Amino acid sequence: QSVLTQAPSASGTPGQRVTISCSGASSNIGSNAVNWYQQLPGTAPKVVIHNNNQRPSGVPDRFSGSKSGTSASLAISGLQSEDETYYYCSAWDNSLHAYVFGPGTKVTVL
Amino acid sequence: QVQLVQSGSELKKPGASVKVSCKASGYSFRTYAMNWVRQAPGQGPEWVGWINTHTENPTNAQAFTGRFVISLDTSVSTSYLQISSLKAEDTAIYYCARESPAGYADFWGQGTLVTVSS
């Protein structure tokens, strides 16, 4: 049972905007920064958004993040076929003294 | 360039121990903490813990206390994750990942598959 909650799937057609949500609590998202990781099959996770809305160099500006209260969102605009994979949210939890991850959302490009 | 290179896949019997290594290069090893993350088949990542590479003090998540030990050998810029009394449910890919000062894992190893089976 994950501490953070994500819908198992999301989908869109090429060029569309897809939004993935992550719900937590005051001890994690409500108090700390949210990071989003993309994981392609057979590879390690890779950060696409850190500190709620910061995009590391090399990540396309199609990816954006936001946070409000105890929820966060990752948006992918101009959806492309290479965006089809799993996305995980993560945050530090002050009660557990640990990083926690969501169960992941599979994005499908129709 | 920053690289984290992990040891190869392991097949172990229940009750045995395993030690996974993660050799860092391309940066000052003692400047960044090192995370360890577990990912069971078909599941999301779970944070095992991390180690302060300056003080060599490890911290484990509550679910990973007792059998999981994170350590370092700074002379060879390598972090280790040792798991004892292996159980079938420990079967997973284990990743090391460097902790960025901004509070996220910015570089990851390629992962080490640990399979526990009789």
Side-chain angles (χ1 to χ4, degrees):
Chain A
Q1 192 89 5
S2 299
V3 173
L4 304 180
T5 303
Q6 294 180 249
S9 62
S11 63
T13 57
Q16 272 192 328
R17 176 184 171 94
V18 167
T19 301
I20 303 166
S21 296
C22 176
S23 179
S26 58
S27 59
N28 42 66
I29 294 177
S31 305
N32 299 299
V34 177
N35 304 314
W36 289 91
Y37 296 91
Q38 175 195 63
Q39 188 172 29
L40 297 169
T43 70
K46 166 195 161 187
V47 67
V48 291
I49 292 291
H50 69 88
N51 197 22
N52 305 323
N53 54 19
Q54 301 299 300
R55 200 173 49 250
S57 60
V59 173
D61 59 6
R62 303 182 288 103
F63 291 87
S64 62
S66 64
K67 187 180 92 167
S68 178
T70 59
S71 295
S73 295
L74 172 71
I76 310 172
S77 58
L79 194 65
Q80 298 185 7
S81 57
E82 59 259 38
D83 301 330
E84 181 167 292
T85 192
Y86 285 89
Y87 295 85
Y88 300 94
C89 57
S90 178
W92 181 261
D93 189 291
N94 294 336
S95 298
L96 297 174
H97 304 288
Y99 278 116
V100 291
F101 287 87
T105 296
K106 171 75 184 295
V107 168
T108 300
V109 182
L110 301 171
Chain B
Q1 72 283 22
V2 174
Q3 279 195 305
L4 301 176
V5 179
Q6 298 185 224
S7 49
S9 298
E10 301 269 9
L11 174 60
K12 296 290 184 181
K13 294 189 183 302
S17 295
V18 69
K19 192 170 187 178
V20 179
S21 66
C22 169
K23 183 170 177 59
S25 62
Y27 71 97
S28 177
F29 182 67
R30 302 194 71 173
T31 303
Y32 299 84
M34 189 70 76
N35 295 287
W36 284 90
V37 175
R38 178 171 89 172
Q39 190 167 29
Q43 303 297 312
E46 293 177 274
W47 188 73
V48 174
W50 59 10
I51 187 162
N52 182 316
T53 53
H54 186 67
T55 65
E56 303 194 29
N57 181 43
T59 300
N60 286 29
Q62 288 175 6
F64 295 97
T65 55
R67 298 188 299 115
F68 294 79
V69 177
I70 300 171
S71 62
L72 289 177
D73 183 343
T74 57
S75 68
V76 289
S77 301
T78 300
S79 180
Y80 302 93
L81 173 66
Q82 183 162 1
I83 312 169
S84 58
S85 303
L86 282 163
K87 306 174 183 180
E89 51 264 42
D90 294 324
T91 295
I93 297 175
Y94 291 82
Y95 295 100
C96 60
R98 193 183 80 165
E99 178 75 0
S100 158
Y104 65 97
D106 59 355
F107 288 93
W108 294 65
Q110 82 276 20
T112 296
L113 174 62
V114 174
T115 303
V116 184
S117 174
S118 54

